[in-house]
Amino acid sequence: IPLEMREYHENMLLHDKKDSSVKCLHHNIWGGWIKYHPVQDMDKYKDTLSDDGFSKSCISFQVKFDTCEQIDINLRDTEKRNDLIQKCKDLKQDTIHVFPTSLLRLNPVNILRDHCHKVVLSGPANLDDVAMDKVFTSVNCLLGIWKAELEDEACYGMIICKSPETYFAFIPHNPEAFWVLLSENTHRADIHECLSALICTQICSQVGCESLQSIAKYQYNKSNEYEKVSFLSFKAFAIIRLAGMKTDLKETFAESSGKERFAAVNTDCHTESNTTILNTSESGLLRFSAKHLIGCPHYISWKGTIKYHRLLGCKTWAEFHCTAWAFQCRVIAEGTNNIGKAIVDVPSEFWKLLPQNLFILSVKLPQSNMLLGTIGCARTDALTGTFPPQPQPQYIDEHTPIFVMEVGTAPKSLVDDLLTSVKLKIAFISENRIPKYAVTFSYVEGKIQGSVVSGPQVMDIYKEVRLQCFETSECDATELFGEIGTKRKYQEWSFERK
C-alpha cells in the first residue's frame, strides 16, 4: 500500500464498531459468504482442488458490509444508499470471492476516494472476525469479486483494506472503469490470451504446456521483482471464469423442473402455486397463460433446435443447445403502448428459409456505428468511470416484424446473456449462401423476441458482425463464417470463401 494511500486511510475517521464512544449510524448493504483464494502459487492452488472446483486451501466465512456515515457522507443520503443496496441485490450473489492484490503500483487514491462507495466489513460472529484476521496475516490488500464479466469487460467487486480499527472496502461506481483499473489498461486480446492460458494451466495436466509461455509475457514487471497488478487481477478473473464454466456445465446436466410441472398438471387443485410452476420456467422465461391464448391464438410457424454461441474472446467461447419453436403473437407485435396499430406480418418466405437447426451468435460490438447507433461507444475516461450511454440500434423501427421464440430446457445463462445490452444476439438466414434476413433477439417481459430485418441493410449488418468476430478471434471466426480473413498492417480486413 503506497504512502499516499496510507495517509488517506488515516484521515478516513475509521473506528472500531465496538467503540461505544463513537456515535455513528451503520446500515447494512450486503451480507453473505466470503471465500479467500490463495492464488500466489497457482500450481499449489491447483494441486489441492476440492469437489466444488476450488482449492482446499481456500478460507470461507461469513461477512457483512455496512455503510458508515463517518467515512462516506454520500451514503447518508437514503436514496443513494438504497440505490447501492439494490445494485448489490441485482447481482444475486451469495458469495464474494477475494484474492490477493496490491495498490503499491496502482496508487489509485483519487479513484478510490472520488469514484467509490466506502463501506466497512465485519463478521456476524467472532469466528468470522478471526478468519478475516487470518487472511490478512499474509496479505495487505484484497480484490473482492462478485462477478467479472469477460465479454463486457466489467468487474463487480471491491478493494478491501485493513486499518488498526477495522476492515473497510471501496466499491467502484462503475464496473467497467474498475476493470480497466485492475487490468492496467491491457488490450482486450492480451487479456483473453492470458486468461485462456491461466485457465488451461488449471485444467491441463500436461508438463511444459505452451500456455506457460503466454503467461510469462504478462506476469512480471520490468525488474522481474514483483508480479504485475494486472496479472494478479487476471488470476482472479481466471478463477471466476472457471467457476462460471462449472456452473454452465452443471446447468447442462441438471435435472429440469419437468417433474414439478408434471405434478402440477396432474393435480386436481388449481392453486396459485401450481399456476406459477406451469407458467414459469427455471430460466426465468414466462409462458403464455390460457386466458391469453383464448383471445390471441398462436400458430407455430417453426420448430427445431437452436445453437446459442457466445463468442467471449480469442479461442474463448461458450455454447449450448436446446429445442425451440417460434410464432407471431398479435399482442407482442402490437406492443403495450400501440394497441390497435397494424401488425407487420413476418414474411412467409422467412419461415420457409429458417433452418431447422438455427445458429444464434452473441458478440459484443463496442465500436459499431451502425449496429449500436453511433460511433463513440468506446470509453471516454476509463479511470474516472465516465462512459457514454449505449445507443439503440437504428435498424429496428415500428415496421420491423416481430415474433416470439419459446425454448425448451434452456439455462439461465441464456436469459442473462439476452439481458446484456452491449451485446448483439443475432442469426442470419441465408439463401444460396447469401444472407437474406437478419434476426436480432432480445428478452422483453419474460419473452424472447426476434426482430426480422430484411433488405440491403442485412449485408451491412453481416459485414459488421463478421468484422467484429474476426477482430475478437480470427480462428473462431474462420470456422463460424466459413471465410478466411487477412489483415495486413495499417490495412483493413479482406475476406475470401474457404
Side-chain angles (χ1 to χ4, degrees):
I1 298 179
L3 177 62
E4 186 181 359
M5 196 70 192
R6 290 183 184 274
E7 292 175 350
Y8 171 55
H9 290 176
E10 293 172 359
N11 296 325
M12 284 183 67
L13 302 179
L14 295 162
H15 62 89
D16 189 337
K17 66 175 182 178
K18 298 178 182 178
D19 188 351
S20 58
S21 64
V22 178
K23 304 299 180 183
C24 179
L25 289 177
H26 287 200
H27 298 273
N28 184 249
I29 296 297
W30 181 87
W33 287 93
I34 188 168
K35 183 181 282 289
Y36 169 67
H37 299 261
V39 293
Q40 293 93 330
D41 187 337
M42 292 291 278
D43 290 333
K44 185 178 179 181
Y45 184 91
K46 170 188 173 182
D47 291 340
T48 57
L49 292 180
S50 59
D51 293 338
D52 62 0
F54 299 122
S55 174
K56 293 179 181 178
S57 58
C58 292
I59 301 174
S60 296
F61 51 94
Q62 289 183 299
V63 69
K64 61 178 183 176
F65 303 138
D66 298 329
T67 64
C68 173
E69 59 182 18
Q70 294 268 76
I71 65 173
D72 198 325
I73 298 176
N74 289 326
L75 290 179
R76 293 182 183 182
D77 184 280
T78 303
E79 184 177 348
K80 292 180 179 179
R81 186 170 63 247
N82 289 339
D83 182 59
L84 177 58
I85 293 173
Q86 188 59 47
K87 287 181 179 178
C88 292
K89 285 182 178 179
D90 291 343
L91 292 173
K92 298 178 181 179
Q93 300 292 321
D94 59 5
T95 301
I96 184 167
H97 299 269
V98 297
F99 306 84
T101 190
S102 171
L103 297 179
L104 186 60
R105 293 170 298 283
L106 287 180
N107 203 19
V109 177
N110 294 335
I111 307 302
L112 298 183
R113 180 182 58 217
D114 301 331
H115 302 286
C116 293
H117 300 295
K118 275 72 76 176
V119 296
V120 292
L121 284 70
S122 61
N126 289 334
L127 287 176
D128 300 310
D129 291 330
V130 171
M132 179 67 88
D133 293 336
K134 181 180 179 181
V135 168
F136 269 88
T137 57
S138 58
V139 297
N140 293 320
C141 184
L142 293 173
L143 165 62
I145 299 178
W146 280 302
K147 291 172 63 178
E149 301 291 350
L150 305 185
E151 307 101 303
D152 303 332
E153 297 180 344
C155 180
Y156 300 85
M158 61 181 63
I159 295 292
I160 303 174
C161 301
K162 179 185 179 181
S163 76
E165 295 81 14
T166 187
Y167 296 101
F168 58 102
F170 301 89
I171 304 178
H173 300 160
N174 191 295
E176 290 85 1
F178 193 35
W179 177 281
V180 174
L181 178 69
L182 294 173
S183 64
E184 296 183 290
N185 221 12
T186 305
H187 191 273
R188 175 186 175 94
D190 294 333
I191 293 175
H192 282 282
E193 180 186 2
C194 187
L195 293 188
S196 298
L198 285 168
I199 290 172
C200 182
T201 60
Q202 291 298 294
I203 61 178
C204 178
S205 58
Q206 215 173 355
V207 178
C209 176
E210 62 180 13
S211 297
L212 296 176
Q213 299 176 1
S214 299
I215 291 174
K217 295 191 297 183
Y218 305 102
Q219 189 167 7
Y220 292 103
N221 57 17
K222 293 181 179 179
S223 64
N224 286 331
E225 184 178 359
Y226 300 106
E227 286 187 339
K228 294 180 180 178
V229 175
S230 56
F231 186 73
L232 296 174
S233 304
F234 296 160
K235 289 196 287 188
F237 297 158
I239 297 298
I240 295 297
R241 175 61 190 147
L242 274 170
M245 293 167 65
K246 181 190 69 175
T247 301
D248 291 343
L249 188 63
K250 276 187 173 181
E251 285 185 344
T252 302
F253 293 99
E255 184 180 273
S256 72
S257 61
K259 288 184 178 180
E260 293 180 0
R261 294 174 63 83
F262 181 84
V265 169
N266 288 278
T267 55
D268 296 328
C269 184
H270 298 288
T271 62
E272 184 178 347
S273 60
N274 276 357
T275 304
T276 302
I277 291 174
L278 292 173
N279 291 340
T280 309
S281 69
E282 60 266 38
S283 62
L285 295 171
L286 301 177
R287 306 291 186 189
F288 287 96
S289 65
K291 183 178 179 180
H292 172 94
L293 296 175
I294 293 174
C296 179
H298 296 166
Y299 302 99
I300 295 178
S301 302
W302 173 87
K303 58 182 178 180
T305 60
I306 62 171
K307 179 191 289 186
Y308 196 92
H309 187 97
R310 294 163 54 202
L311 185 59
L312 309 180
C314 183
K315 300 180 182 179
T316 309
W317 49 269
E319 186 175 272
F320 42 80
H321 307 245
C322 62
T323 57
W325 52 97
F327 51 86
Q328 193 161 23
C329 171
R330 189 181 73 246
V331 175
I332 297 294
E334 287 178 346
T336 55
N337 299 320
N338 298 286
I339 302 300
K341 79 172 187 181
I343 299 174
V344 181
D345 291 325
V346 176
S348 58
E349 185 185 27
F350 170 82
W351 296 119
K352 294 177 182 178
L353 291 175
L354 201 61
Q356 187 173 3
N357 298 309
L358 180 63
F359 183 89
I360 301 176
L361 175 66
S362 173
V363 62
K364 184 181 179 183
L365 299 177
Q367 296 180 341
S368 172
N369 62 325
M370 180 189 65
L371 301 183
L372 292 181
T374 58
I375 284 180
C377 301
R379 301 179 177 87
T380 56
D381 190 343
L383 290 181
T384 60
T386 53
F387 287 73
Q390 288 296 333
Q392 296 299 316
Q394 293 182 341
Y395 54 85
I396 303 295
D397 56 32
E398 60 180 6
H399 302 295
T400 302
I402 296 174
F403 66 86
V404 177
M405 176 174 284
E406 291 194 341
V407 296
T409 306
K412 186 178 180 299
S413 52
L414 183 148
V415 175
D416 293 339
D417 194 72
L418 287 168
L419 285 168
T420 307
S421 60
V422 296
K423 296 177 67 177
L424 185 69
K425 287 71 66 174
I426 192 164
F428 292 103
I429 314 304
S430 301
E431 185 178 38
N432 298 325
R433 295 193 70 183
I434 298 176
K436 188 165 186 177
Y437 297 98
V439 185
T440 60
F441 294 91
S442 58
Y443 177 88
V444 182
E445 298 180 352
K447 308 291 191 298
I448 299 177
Q449 296 185 12
S451 300
V452 182
V453 181
S454 59
Q457 57 188 339
V458 173
M459 277 305 298
D460 295 333
I461 298 172
Y462 174 83
K463 291 176 181 178
E464 288 280 344
V465 173
R466 180 184 62 183
L467 175 63
Q468 185 57 38
C469 287
F470 271 89
E471 290 282 0
T472 303
S473 178
E474 181 179 349
C475 58
D476 292 318
T478 300
E479 294 298 320
L480 291 176
F481 291 88
E483 299 183 26
I484 299 174
T486 305
K487 183 180 182 181
R488 294 181 176 85
K489 195 172 183 179
Y490 306 118
Q491 294 184 4
E492 295 182 352
W493 283 89
S494 60
F495 304 97
E496 61 177 343
R497 290 277 175 85
K498 290 176 66 175

